[in-house]
């Protein structure tokens, strides 16, 4: 029994020494970088016994997409690239322009001196349309609130009414100015005529 317990501890006891990226939710077409750091694992510099692999898991399939062994890194799936440095404890991968086919769980697993260490991360790829329709997303066809329409109608009527009244006031002022000007012209004309009549009378008086 103690041997079994020791074996379980040996295989899974250092589970926390492998650090992977947190779960990610991205839009389709985004470039994704998934990290796997194992520099805290005991014996990680033993490159002779070190082997590592990335495993891709979905509901329907499980397959190795990239592995490292005998100082060589091999990708088994197009569009998956090694992006790390094993000598520094980094076994990252790079996924350019992800699609919905990249949805799933990515498991990073190491084998060091007969012991296994692993950790995983979940990747969710969604379309831009799904993101806009999600809560808090952008709704391009959203209508303005009903109260805005009620406020805008009286405001428009008030604006039109103010313009009409201002126009009438300007016309009234202009008419008043015209009337005043006409009165001045009449007075001036009458004064001129009176002066003419007076001049004629004086002239006729001198002749007699």
């Amino acid at each position: 029994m103690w041997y079994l317990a020791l074996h379980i501890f040996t295989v899974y006891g250092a589970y926390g020494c492998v650090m992977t990226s947190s779960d990610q939710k991205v839009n389709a077409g985004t470039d994704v970088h998934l990290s796997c750091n194992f520099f805290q694992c005991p014996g990680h510099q033993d490159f002779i016994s070190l082997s590592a692999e990335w495993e891709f898991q979905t509901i329907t399939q499980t397959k190795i997409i990239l592995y490292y062994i005998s100082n060589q890194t091999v990708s088994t799936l197009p569009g998956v690239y090694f992006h790390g440095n094993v000598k520094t404890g980094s076994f990252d991968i790079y996924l350019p322009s992800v699609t919905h086919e990249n949805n799933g769980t990515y498991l990073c697993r190491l084998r060091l001196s007969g012991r296994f260490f692993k950790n995983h991360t979940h990747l969710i790829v969604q379309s831009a349309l799904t993101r806009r329709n999600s809560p808090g997303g952008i709704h391009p066809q959203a209508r303005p609130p009903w109260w805005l329409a009620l406020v805008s109608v009286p405001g428009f009527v008030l604006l039109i009414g103010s313009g009409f009244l201002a126009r009438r006031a300007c016309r009234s002022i202009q008419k008043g100015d015209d009337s005043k000007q006409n009165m001045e012209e009449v007075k001036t004309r009458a004064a001129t005529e009176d002066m003419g009549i007076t001049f004629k009378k004086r002239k006729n008086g001198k002749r007699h």
Side-chain angles (χ1 to χ4, degrees):
M1 182 64 67
W2 66 268
Y3 176 80
L4 179 61
L6 179 61
H7 176 71
I8 294 176
F9 178 82
T10 301
V11 176
Y12 299 104
Y15 177 88
C17 72
V18 177
M19 307 299 294
T20 55
S21 301
S22 57
D23 296 346
Q24 298 188 38
K25 182 183 291 186
V26 300
N27 284 341
T30 303
D31 298 340
V32 176
H33 176 268
L34 299 178
S35 62
C36 178
N37 296 321
F38 57 92
F39 62 89
Q40 294 182 351
C41 295
H44 70 276
Q45 293 182 344
D46 185 6
F47 302 111
I48 297 177
S49 63
L50 171 65
S51 63
E53 61 188 17
W54 275 98
E55 184 177 271
F56 178 56
Q57 302 174 349
T58 64
I59 299 176
T60 59
Q61 64 177 342
T62 298
K63 58 184 177 181
I64 304 298
I65 58 176
L66 187 141
Y67 65 88
Y68 170 87
I69 190 171
S70 300
N71 204 27
Q72 292 185 352
T73 304
V74 179
S75 175
T76 62
L77 185 68
V80 178
Y81 302 95
F82 174 65
H83 196 267
N85 188 348
V86 176
K87 293 182 179 181
T88 60
S90 175
F91 191 59
D92 304 350
I93 57 174
Y94 174 71
L95 310 174
S97 300
V98 295
T99 65
H100 294 285
E101 296 181 354
N102 296 110
N103 276 313
T105 300
Y106 292 79
L107 175 70
C108 181
R109 181 168 44 230
L110 278 73
R111 183 178 183 275
L112 288 169
S113 302
R115 293 181 296 175
F116 292 91
F117 310 91
K118 61 182 180 179
N119 208 336
H120 66 274
T121 182
H122 299 288
L123 178 64
I124 300 175
V125 182
Q126 59 184 7
S127 63
L129 180 61
T130 302
R131 186 169 185 174
R132 286 199 301 266
N133 292 334
S134 61
I138 301 174
H139 302 274
Q141 297 181 351
R143 296 181 178 179
W146 59 270
W147 55 265
L148 184 60
L150 295 179
V151 173
S152 61
V153 171
F156 179 74
V157 173
L158 180 61
L159 180 62
I160 296 299
S162 300
F164 178 74
L165 293 176
R167 189 173 181 182
R168 288 192 61 181
C170 290
R171 287 183 177 179
S172 299
I173 294 173
Q174 185 176 3
K175 287 182 179 179
D177 293 340
D178 292 340
S179 299
K180 187 176 180 180
Q181 184 177 0
N182 291 334
M183 290 294 295
E184 294 293 336
E185 290 178 355
V186 171
K187 290 180 179 180
T188 303
R189 188 179 302 170
T192 303
E193 290 177 355
D194 291 341
M195 291 177 63
I197 293 171
T198 303
F199 179 76
K200 287 181 179 181
K201 287 181 177 181
R202 291 179 179 177
K203 187 175 182 182
N204 292 331
K206 288 180 179 182
R207 287 180 181 179
H208 292 293

